[in-house]
DNA sequence: TAAATAATTTAGATATAACTAAAAAAATAT
DNA sequence: ATATTTTTTTAGTTATATCTAAATTATTTA
């Protein structure tokens, strides 16, 4: 099927399309994958030749239907393995991403379907991200990031946009966990920082942190 | 740490040393890995430069202590993943080897130790092979292959030397499973084939099959 | 709109891990 | 002991996925 590098690009492009709109630039991909723009150009040509992306020189790329399907398979594998690591092997949510980056490239449809069944077909991974089923379908998980909320509004913390161990360890340190009710107390106009409140404590977070916390049932 | 290719060579050399004695030839490695002798020579030089093997031109190789430790880690991972696939995901013993060939290259000591604990520290994999513990130690598992047995002797079938799906499916078809008591009824001098008997049936196996079935408590 | 700047692509290089074909060394046979 | 055969190594090539530096195209600024 696809090489590891190809799978990583599919996943990255899929995620970037969702975050930043449907035409993804070379530099954006390069920065998210810690590679150089020239390397990205090379790979985009290859993906284009395989009909996985629509690519026009200098115009950015987006996934084709085939590419989207490929991306969803990789994402399904990644999130199921993360769920396995947390639920069955007792890893913490901040420890699983890098291991799942490796496990997601293991090739076997049967394996991943059996893993899905073993985990009782989870709908969300340990970071609150929806897990595509065997057909690539996910539940829709409508959330609002804190940076889009108004003063006085509140919701339930159900997901993160960044699941790097660095960010998650920061959240651990600040005693913020999935399921917490969070209320926006104040927004500092000077630097865009947020004063927020949980049931147990108050704290200040920067705008870039606020940009990565997803809340549900925001009112 | 080591690349996938390097890990595969370590594992192969370790297994060949045990089967055929301590100096392993280039061609033997090439045939077991489905590569060409010239490729093997290239890799042996690389492994030698990393102090993983002792290599002298035209004289074959053997693992150094460092290489042996590396090999045991790969084998530990392979066999633990095979055990997981059979015990937790309900794979059959003939379906797990190729998937484990991929999983064995996932890099994380913590992962494999947690997997070991999750499986309750199994001592043998689904093919009867001993699983090295975190320190590289295995139980000693003294077995005799049928091709070394005399007429009239019998034992318990506890392991296979070949765990390819082809061979295991052959055993399934012939209704031979681990735990079966097997008795040697006759040896055909003409072609070296074995007439054997289990509690439920009799059958004839070729010498090459007899060479791959390991029995315990042979009397 | 022309110049400056930024983004992207091309050209050429590197590392890994394969390969084929030819050369060299070792083992076997005459 | 020499010739033949087999095994192993060397030399040179290929594919993948990266890189740097230079060239090209697009965008922004003046
Ligand atoms: Mn992740
Ligand atoms: Mn996740
Ligand atoms: Mn195996
Ligand atoms: Mn096995």
């Amino acid at each position: 099927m696809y090489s590891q590098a190809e799978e990583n690009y599919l996943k990255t492009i899929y995620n970037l399309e969702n975050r930043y709109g449907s035409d993804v630039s070379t530099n954006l991909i390069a920065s998210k994958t810690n590679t150089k723009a020239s390397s990205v150009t090379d790979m985009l040509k290859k993906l284009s030749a395989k009909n996985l992306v629509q690519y026009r020189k200098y115009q950015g790329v987006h996934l084709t239907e085939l590419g989207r399907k490929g991306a969803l398979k990789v994402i399904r594998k990644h999130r199921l393995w993360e769920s396995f690591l947390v639920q069955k092997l007792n890893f913490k949510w901040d420890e699983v991403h890098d291991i799942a980056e490796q496990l997601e490239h293991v090739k076997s449809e049967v394996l991943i379907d059996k893993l899905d069944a073993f985990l009782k077909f989870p709908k969300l991974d340990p970071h609150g991200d929806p897990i595509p089923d065997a057909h690539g379908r996910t539940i829709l998980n409508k959330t609002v990031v804190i940076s889009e909320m108004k003063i006085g509004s509140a919701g339930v913390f159900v997901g993160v946009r960044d699941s790097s161990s660095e960010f998650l360890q920061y959240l651990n340190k600040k005693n913020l966990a999935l399921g917490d009710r969070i209320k926006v107390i104040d927004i500092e106009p000077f630097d865009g920082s947020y004063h927020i409140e949980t049931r147990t404590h108050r704290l200040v977070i920067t705008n870039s942190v606020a940009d990565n916390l997803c809340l549900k049932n925001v009112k």
Side-chain angles (χ1 to χ4, degrees), chain A:
Chain A
M1 205 63 183
Y2 309 126
S3 72
Q4 289 200 192
E6 287 167 346
E7 286 192 339
N8 284 333
Y9 273 89
L10 291 180
K11 193 181 53 167
T12 302
I13 296 167
Y14 180 92
N15 285 329
L16 291 176
E17 279 185 22
N18 287 338
R19 292 264 195 301
Y20 304 98
S22 68
D23 267 301
V24 180
S25 76
T26 302
N27 269 354
L28 189 55
I29 297 171
S31 75
K32 284 286 167 188
T33 54
N34 296 308
T35 55
K36 297 301 150 92
S38 55
S39 308
V40 173
T41 301
D42 283 347
M43 183 55 90
L44 294 184
K45 288 177 183 172
K46 196 188 302 183
L47 296 177
S48 182
K50 292 192 176 187
N51 248 297
L52 293 166
V53 299
Q54 179 77 39
Y55 168 62
R56 274 177 30 251
K57 264 190 189 182
Y58 296 101
Q59 307 300 299
V61 275
H62 60 262
L63 295 174
T64 61
E65 192 47 36
L66 187 64
R68 198 181 137 273
K69 277 180 187 157
L72 282 167
K73 281 189 184 179
V74 183
I75 289 167
R76 170 171 160 77
K77 289 189 282 180
H78 183 101
R79 293 180 182 167
L80 280 174
W81 280 118
E82 283 188 341
S83 302
F84 167 72
L85 295 173
V86 168
Q87 287 172 34
K88 300 295 182 179
L89 299 194
N90 298 117
F91 277 95
K92 306 298 174 206
W93 75 330
D94 59 297
E95 302 171 322
V96 297
H97 180 76
D98 291 348
I99 299 175
E101 286 290 310
Q102 301 179 64
L103 287 165
E104 74 188 6
H105 300 296
V106 172
K107 262 109 193 138
S108 169
E109 293 264 328
V110 187
L111 169 62
I112 210 67
D113 292 343
K114 280 182 179 269
L115 182 65
D116 198 7
F118 181 56
L119 298 172
K120 311 257 174 63
F121 306 101
K123 298 282 172 278
L124 297 172
D125 84 356
H127 311 107
D129 290 312
I131 301 173
D133 70 14
H135 308 289
R137 283 188 282 264
T138 60
I139 60 166
L140 43 79
N141 196 26
K142 224 187 156 193
T143 62
V144 177
V145 290
I146 291 192
S147 57
E148 286 165 0
M149 287 169 62
K150 296 202 179 93
I151 294 171
S153 64
V156 182
F157 175 32
V158 293
V160 289
R161 277 191 169 172
D162 175 355
S163 26
S164 68
S165 56
E166 294 75 33
F167 181 62
L168 299 175
Q169 279 164 20
Y170 163 85
L171 296 181
N172 290 345
K173 205 171 59 187
K174 295 294 179 185
N175 264 294
L176 289 173
L178 293 191
D180 288 358
R181 181 183 174 75
I182 296 180
K183 183 174 181 182
V184 175
I185 301 299
D186 197 15
I187 304 172
E188 178 63 59
F190 174 62
D191 60 3
S193 63
Y194 282 70
H195 293 238
I196 61 174
E197 181 185 75
T198 70
R199 288 213 199 288
T200 59
H201 59 302
R202 287 185 173 215
L203 70 158
V204 179
I205 58 177
T206 63
N207 189 272
S208 80
V209 169
D211 223 31
N212 282 292
L213 302 179
C214 305
L215 272 59
K216 216 165 92 175
N217 302 328
V218 172
K219 269 160 207 157

